[in-house]
C-alpha cells in the first residue's frame, strides 16, 4: 500500500516537472480585456506590439474587442466589460464633466492627429475646402472627435459647418463607408485601410487629410478607471512599456516592414494597400513616438470640443491624464 502511494506521489511530481518544463517554468500571462474604438491601421503601434510579442514579454495577454465607437468603448469600460479602453480622450473628458464617480483616466497616447481622410466621388488633384460648400458630407457621430475635427478644419478654411454645407450624422460610424458606396453623400471621412481600399477599387478618391488641417492633438489613447489604475499599477506600467516598444518600432521601420508584421491583423486587406495606408499615416505624422499626452495638445482638443459646442468648460489636464507610466516608459529607453 505504501509503495502504491509512493509511486503515485512520484508520478504526480514527474507530471508536474514535465508540465513546468513544457511551460518553460514561466508564469502564465495576465489577461487584459482591451476594447478598441475601431479596427484600423491607424493604430499600427498597437498591432505591432501584439504581433511582435511585446505584451507577452511583459507577462500580459491582450484580449482585443472592437467597440464600434468611443461612446461604446467607454460604456464597456464603466460597466466592467473591459479593463482598458482605447479611443479618443474626449470620452474621458465627457465622463469627468458629468461628475461621475471613479472617472476614466488616460495613461498612454498612441496617435497625435486626426486619422481620417476626406473621400469624394471624383478624383480631384486641385481640391480646396471651399469646394465643399453646398455638399452633403458623412463626417461621423456628432460629439465624436472625427466629427468635431472635421468641423474645426472647415472653420479654419473660413466655412460655417452649420450654414455652408450639410453634415449628416444620422449614420453609424461603422456603416458610413457602406452608405457612401451605396450612393449617400458627396463626401465621406474614412480611416485607413478603408480609404485606400475604396480608392484602389475606383469607387472613391482621397482628396484631403483632416489631420493635416487640424494639427497635432491627442486623438487615440488608452484609458482605464482611476481605481483600476491604482489597484493594478504594475499591470498598467507593463502595458505602457509594451505600447512604447510598439511606438518605437513603428518610428524606426518602414511602411513595408510594418505592413509585413501586422498583415495578420488585417487578413482581408491586400498587403500593398496596408503599406500605402501606413506610409500615408507616417507622412502626416499620425503616430506618436511616446505615450506621453501633453497639456498643450490636450488644450487643442478641448478647443475643438468647445468650438463644436460639446464642452462648456475646459477640464484640467491632471483630472483626466496620468502620465506617470508613460514618462517612466519613455525614460527607460
Amino acid at each position: 500500500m505504501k509503495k502504491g502511494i509512493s509511486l503515485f506521489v512520484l508520478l504526480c511530481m514527474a507530471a508536474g516537472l514535465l508540465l513546468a518544463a513544457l511551460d518553460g517554468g514561466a508564469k502564465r500571462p495576465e489577461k487584459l480585456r482591451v476594447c478598441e474604438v475601431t479596427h484600423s491601421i491607424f493604430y499600427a503601434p498597437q498591432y505591432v506590439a501584439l504581433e511582435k510579442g511585446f505584451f507577452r514579454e511583459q507577462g500580459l495577454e491582450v484580449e482585443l474587442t472592437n467597440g464600434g465607437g468611443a461612446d461604446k468603448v467607454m460604456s464597456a469600460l464603466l460597466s466592467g466589460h473591459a479593463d482598458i479602453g482605447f479611443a479618443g480622450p474626449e470620452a474621458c473628458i465627457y465622463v469627468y464633466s458629468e461628475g461621475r464617480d471613479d472617472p476614466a483616466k488616460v495613461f498612454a497616447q498612441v496617435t497625435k492627429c486626426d486619422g481620417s481622410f476626406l473621400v469624394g466621388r471624383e478624383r480631384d488633384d486641385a481640391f480646396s475646402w471651399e469646394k465643399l460648400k453646398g455638399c452633403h458630407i458623412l463626417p461621423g457621430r456628432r460629439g465624436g472627435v472625427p466629427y468635431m475635427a472635421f468641423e474645426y478644419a472647415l472653420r479654419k478654411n473660413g466655412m460655417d459647418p452649420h450654414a455652408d454645407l450639410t453634415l449628416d450624422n444620422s449614420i453609424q460610424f461603422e456603416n458610413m463607408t457602406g452608405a457612401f458606396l451605396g450612393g449617400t453623400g458627396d463626401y465621406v471621412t474614412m480611416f485607413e485601410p478603408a480609404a485606400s481600399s475604396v480608392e484602389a477599387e475606383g469607387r472613391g478618391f482621397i482628396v484631403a487629410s483632416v489631420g493635416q488641417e487640424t494639427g497635432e492633438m491627442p486623438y487615440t489613447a488608452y484609458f482605464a478607471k482611476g481605481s483600476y489604475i491604482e489597484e493594478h499599477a504594475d499591470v498598467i506600467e507593463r502595458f505602457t512599456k509594451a505600447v512604447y516598444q510598439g511606438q518605437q518600432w513603428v518610428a524606426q521601420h518602414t511602411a513595408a516592414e510594418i505592413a509585413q508584421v501586422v498583415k495578420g491583423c488585417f487578413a482581408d486587406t491586400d498587403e500593398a494597400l496596408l503599406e500605402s495606408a501606413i506610409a500615408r499615416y507616417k507622412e502626416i505624422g499620425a503616430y506618436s513616438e511616446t505615450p506621453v499626452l501633453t497639456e498643450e495638445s490636450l488644450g487643442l482638443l478641448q478647443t475643438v470640443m468647445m468650438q463644436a459646442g460639446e464642452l462648456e468648460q475646459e477640464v484640467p489636464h491632471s483630472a483626466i491624464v496620468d502620465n506617470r507610466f508613460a514618462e517612466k516608459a519613455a525614460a527607460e529607453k
Side-chain angles (χ1 to χ4, degrees):
M1 188 72 175
K2 288 182 179 179
K3 286 183 178 179
I5 293 174
S6 299
L7 181 60
F8 176 75
V9 171
L10 287 171
L11 287 171
C12 287
M13 290 175 63
L17 289 169
L18 178 61
L19 287 172
L22 290 172
D23 194 33
K27 185 180 177 181
R28 288 188 177 180
E30 187 165 353
K31 288 189 177 180
L32 273 180
R33 299 168 300 165
V34 179
C35 186
E36 63 178 354
V37 62
T38 190
H39 193 67
S40 170
I41 197 61
F42 187 39
Y43 315 130
Q46 171 179 265
Y47 304 123
V48 165
L50 285 167
E51 294 298 298
K52 296 289 288 183
F54 297 152
F55 290 113
R56 280 265 177 188
E57 288 173 7
Q58 294 295 332
L60 303 172
E61 181 180 333
V62 173
E63 179 185 284
L64 193 63
T65 57
N66 188 337
D71 54 338
K72 296 181 178 65
V73 170
M74 184 58 79
S75 293
L77 186 80
L78 296 179
S79 65
H81 289 94
D83 302 311
I84 293 173
F86 183 50
E90 82 282 358
C92 298
I93 294 173
Y94 288 141
V95 167
Y96 179 84
S97 298
E98 289 169 3
R100 282 178 174 264
D101 293 331
D102 196 16
K105 277 196 166 188
V106 171
F107 61 86
Q109 175 178 306
V110 175
T111 60
K112 59 180 181 178
C113 74
D114 188 296
S116 58
F117 294 90
L118 185 63
V119 176
R121 297 196 177 279
E122 303 292 336
R123 191 180 299 279
D124 189 352
D125 296 329
F127 173 81
S128 64
W129 288 80
E130 291 76 15
K131 290 184 178 182
L132 298 181
K133 284 188 177 181
C135 291
H136 180 186
I137 319 289
L138 307 182
R141 175 182 61 85
R142 185 175 179 83
V145 174
Y147 187 101
M148 294 187 289
F150 189 74
E151 282 192 326
Y152 185 74
L154 290 171
R155 291 190 182 96
K156 278 188 68 176
N157 285 277
M159 299 179 67
D160 184 336
H162 306 293
D164 292 334
L165 69 171
T166 299
L167 298 182
D168 184 350
N169 64 358
S170 66
I171 299 168
Q172 290 288 328
F173 177 83
E174 60 267 29
N175 298 326
M176 284 165 47
T177 298
F180 179 76
L181 296 179
T184 302
D186 301 306
Y187 294 88
V188 63
T189 55
M190 292 184 192
F191 284 79
E192 293 285 16
S196 288
S197 179
V198 167
E199 188 168 72
E201 295 171 3
R203 304 177 70 185
F205 300 90
I206 297 171
V207 297
S209 161
V210 179
Q212 280 187 316
E213 286 297 315
T214 55
E216 183 175 330
M217 65 178 171
Y219 202 79
T220 325
Y222 293 104
F223 48 82
K225 288 193 286 189
S227 61
Y228 184 91
I229 292 174
E230 293 307 319
E231 293 166 12
H232 302 84
D234 179 59
V235 170
I236 296 297
E237 181 177 324
R238 287 183 281 136
F239 185 91
T240 306
K241 283 181 180 179
V243 170
Y244 179 61
Q245 281 183 280
Q247 291 176 315
Q248 287 293 292
W249 202 95
V250 167
Q252 295 163 9
H253 291 78
T254 66
E257 291 169 328
I258 298 167
Q260 178 66 29
V261 169
V262 303
K263 63 182 180 182
C265 298
F266 300 90
D268 297 329
T269 305
D270 181 77
E271 191 174 334
L273 284 179
L274 276 181
E275 182 181 338
S276 67
I278 294 166
R280 192 170 273 129
Y281 278 135
K282 274 180 160 280
E283 183 181 346
I284 67 171
Y287 301 127
S288 298
E289 295 183 16
T290 168
V292 176
L293 196 163
T294 68
E295 287 193 46
E296 183 180 5
S297 63
L298 184 67
L300 175 57
L301 173 61
Q302 296 198 78
T303 295
V304 168
M305 294 174 70
M306 286 189 282
Q307 285 190 5
E310 298 293 340
L311 182 66
E312 292 184 2
Q313 186 175 355
E314 191 168 319
V315 171
H317 179 270
S318 60
I320 62 159
V321 178
D322 187 342
N323 272 332
R324 287 177 295 164
F325 310 98
E327 288 171 349
K328 185 174 182 180
E332 297 176 356
K333 291 183 179 179

